[in-house]
C-alpha cells in the first residue's frame, strides 16, 4: 500500500502501525463541504461533481449506496476503480482490455493521478471515495462519513428521492453516539484486527469487534433498527461492514469467533437492509472478493449466504 510523496508515487508500504503493532488509520486530509449556499466555495449543483469509488471498498461503498438511495445517478457522475490494488494503488486499468482505462471521466490510469491533479505536491495515502469538483478541478472531500452527509441533503433539489433523510435533526445525538462506537469497535475494528502486527493487538481488536456485534445483536432484539423504527445513517454505516463480514473479515482478517449468520437478529437485520429499494443493485460480491482475496490468492466461491431470504423483521 504505497502513497504519494511530494506528488510522486512510491510503492513502499505506508500502512500505519504503532510500536505495539496496532493499526492506526490516518485522518482523511480533504475535508471541504458542498452546501446549498449558492455563494459557498462549493455550492451544490447538478452535473458539477464527480465521485471516484471502488464498489468493493466499504468506505467508498457508503457513497455508492447513498448515491443510489437518494437517486443521484443523473446528478453526480461516478468512476469505479478496478477491484484489487496494483503496484500504484487503486487503478483504473482493466487487465481484460489491453490496459485501457476504465475511467471514462478523465482517462486516468491510477487514482493517485487524481490526487496529483488536485495538488501536485501532495504527500499522503491515496484513498477512495473522493468527491471531485469539475469546475474548480480539485478534490472537495475524501472522508466517506462526510461525503454521505452531503449526499443525504445537499443535492435534494435534484434528487429523485429528496424526502428521504437518514440524518434527521431530532435523532442526530443518538445517531452520532452509535456511529462513534460502531466505527471504533467494528467498522475500523475489523481492520485493526486484520492489519495488526502483534498477537496482543490482534486479540484486543478482535474481542472489541465481537463485543460490539454482541451489543448490536442485543439492541436489535428490542427494535427493528439501531435508532428505533426507521432507517438512519447509523444503519447504513453498519450495513457496509456486515455485507463483508462472512466473506472477508471472518476468513481473511481472522475475525472468526462467530459469523454474521450466527447472530439471529443481526443477520435478519442485514437482510432487511439489503432488501430495501435500490440497495441490492449496489452490491457487487465479486468486487468485494477482488479486494480482500486477490492479495491472498484463490478467489473463493462462497460463502453461499441467502441475502434474499425473508427477514421477518
Amino acid at each position: 500500500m504505497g502513497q504519494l510523496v511530494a506528488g510522486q508515487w512510491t510503492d513502499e508500504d505506508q500502512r500505519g502501525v504503532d510500536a505495539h503493532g496496532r493499526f492506526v488509520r490516518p485522518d482523511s486530509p480533504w475535508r471541504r463541504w458542498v452546501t446549498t449556499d449558492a455563494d459557498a466555495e462549493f455550492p451544490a449543483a447538478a452535473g458539477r461533481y464527480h465521485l471516484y469509488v471502488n464498489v468493493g471498498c466499504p468506505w467508498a461503498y457508503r457513497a455508492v449506496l447513498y448515491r443510489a438511495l437518494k437517486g443521484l445517478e443523473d446528478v453526480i457522475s461516478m468512476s469505479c476503480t478496478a477491484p484489487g490494488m496494483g503496484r500504484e494503488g487503486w487503478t483504473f486499468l482493466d487487465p481484460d482490455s489491453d490496459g485501457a482505462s476504465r475511467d471514462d471521466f478523465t482517462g486516468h490510469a491510477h487514482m493517485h493521478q487524481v490526487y496529483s491533479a488536485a495538488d501536485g505536491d501532495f504527500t499522503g495515502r491515496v484513498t477512495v471515495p473522493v468527491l471531485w469538483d469539475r469546475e474548480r478541478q480539485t478534490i472537495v472531500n475524501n472522508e466517506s462519513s462526510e461525503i454521505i452527509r452531503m449526499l443525504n441533503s445537499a443535492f435534494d433539489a435534484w434528487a429523485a428521492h429528496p424526502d428521504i433523510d437518514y440524518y434527521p435533526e431530532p435523532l442526530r445525538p443518538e445517531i452520532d453516539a452509535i456511529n462513534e462506537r460502531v466505527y471504533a469497535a467494528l467498522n475500523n475494528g475489523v481492520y485493526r484486527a486484520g492489519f495488526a502486527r502483534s498477537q496482543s493487538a490482534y486479540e484486543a481488536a478482535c474481542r472489541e469487534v465481537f463485543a460490539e456485534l454482541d451489543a448490536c445483536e442485543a439492541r436489535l432484539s428490542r427494535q427493528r433498527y439501531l435508532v428505533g423504527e426507521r432507517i438512519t445513517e447509523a444503519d447504513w454505516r453498519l450495513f457496509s461492514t456486515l455485507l463483508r463480514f462472512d466473506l472477508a473479515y471472518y476468513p481473511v482478517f481472522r475475525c472468526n469467533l462467530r459469523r454474521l449468520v450466527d447472530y439471529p437478529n443481526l443477520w435478519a437485520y442485514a437482510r432487511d437492509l439489503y432488501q430495501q429499494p435500490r440497495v441490492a443493485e449496489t452490491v457487487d460480491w465479486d468486487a468485494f472478493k477482488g479486494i480482500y482475496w486477490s492479495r491472498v490468492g484463490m478467489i473463493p466461491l462462497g460463502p453461499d449466504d441467502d441475502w434474499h431470504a425473508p427477514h421477518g423483521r
Side-chain angles (χ1 to χ4, degrees):
M1 185 182 294
Q3 71 168 8
L4 284 169
V5 176
Q8 300 299 311
W9 181 259
T10 171
D11 60 3
E12 295 179 7
D13 191 348
Q14 301 295 328
R15 189 174 295 136
V17 179
D18 69 12
H20 302 284
R22 296 175 297 206
F23 169 65
V24 180
R25 185 178 298 277
D27 292 334
S28 302
W30 304 84
R31 309 295 287 271
R32 299 177 291 193
W33 285 75
V34 174
T35 74
T36 56
D37 181 357
D39 296 323
E41 182 181 12
F42 299 102
R48 173 167 174 168
Y49 298 96
H50 184 83
L51 272 172
Y52 285 101
V53 301
N54 182 292
V55 295
C57 167
W59 315 105
Y61 174 74
R62 295 174 172 183
V64 175
L65 178 61
Y66 263 68
R67 178 174 176 263
L69 289 169
K70 294 288 293 189
L72 294 170
E73 293 91 337
D74 295 331
V75 179
I76 301 172
S77 54
M78 187 170 74
S79 297
C80 300
T81 64
M85 284 191 179
R87 289 197 61 183
E88 296 188 56
W90 295 117
T91 181
F92 298 104
L93 296 181
D94 189 339
D96 297 324
S97 62
D98 298 322
S101 174
R102 295 156 50 117
D103 178 20
D104 294 333
F105 179 53
T106 62
H108 285 317
H110 307 290
M111 191 66 205
H112 68 74
Q113 295 171 306
V114 176
Y115 277 65
S116 293
D119 179 359
D121 294 320
F122 177 72
T123 294
R125 295 173 62 243
V126 174
T127 63
V128 287
V130 162
L131 184 63
W132 177 269
D133 180 11
R134 296 169 182 262
E135 184 171 310
R136 292 180 177 268
Q137 290 292 293
T138 192
I139 294 172
V140 179
N141 197 296
N142 71 336
E143 169 52 50
S144 66
S145 64
E146 295 175 354
I147 290 174
I148 64 174
R149 292 264 173 98
M150 298 179 225
L151 300 184
N152 180 65
S153 59
F155 298 91
D156 279 352
W158 306 276
H161 308 287
D163 297 331
I164 299 175
D165 182 8
Y166 296 117
Y167 193 54
E169 190 165 352
L171 300 179
R172 288 179 184 180
E174 188 173 4
I175 292 171
D176 290 344
I178 292 174
N179 282 345
E180 183 176 357
R181 189 183 69 239
V182 169
Y183 168 79
L186 193 49
N187 299 142
N188 193 47
V190 292
Y191 287 89
R192 290 192 296 112
F195 293 159
R197 291 296 177 265
S198 71
Q199 185 69 30
S200 61
Y202 156 69
E203 290 187 9
C206 189
R207 293 187 190 284
E208 286 185 34
V209 166
F210 285 95
E212 186 56 38
L213 286 173
D214 292 347
C216 289
E217 173 74 5
R219 188 180 189 92
L220 293 168
S221 72
R222 303 186 298 268
Q223 58 197 49
R224 185 169 179 180
Y225 301 113
L226 290 178
V227 190
E229 298 306 308
R230 63 179 291 179
I231 300 173
T232 68
E233 176 187 288
D235 297 298
W236 293 127
R237 286 176 47 144
L238 174 58
F239 176 68
S240 184
T241 296
L242 296 182
L243 275 175
R244 293 157 176 79
F245 200 86
D246 287 3
L247 179 151
Y249 304 139
Y250 180 93
V252 181
F253 284 5
R254 304 179 299 278
C255 295
N256 57 3
L257 295 180
R258 288 173 292 281
R259 300 168 300 161
L260 172 62
V261 297
D262 295 326
Y263 287 94
N265 294 303
L266 266 171
W267 174 220
Y269 158 85
R271 298 198 310 277
D272 182 359
L273 294 174
Y274 179 84
Q275 293 169 27
Q276 295 295 317
R278 302 178 295 282
V279 174
E281 54 262 39
T282 68
V283 176
D284 186 336
W285 300 111
D286 290 335
F288 294 1
K289 293 178 184 180
I291 287 184
Y292 298 100
W293 285 95
S294 61
R295 69 187 72 182
V296 176
M298 294 286 186
I299 305 296
L301 292 175
D304 191 20
D305 299 337
D306 186 2
W307 286 82
H308 296 278
H311 55 77
R313 292 184 65 80

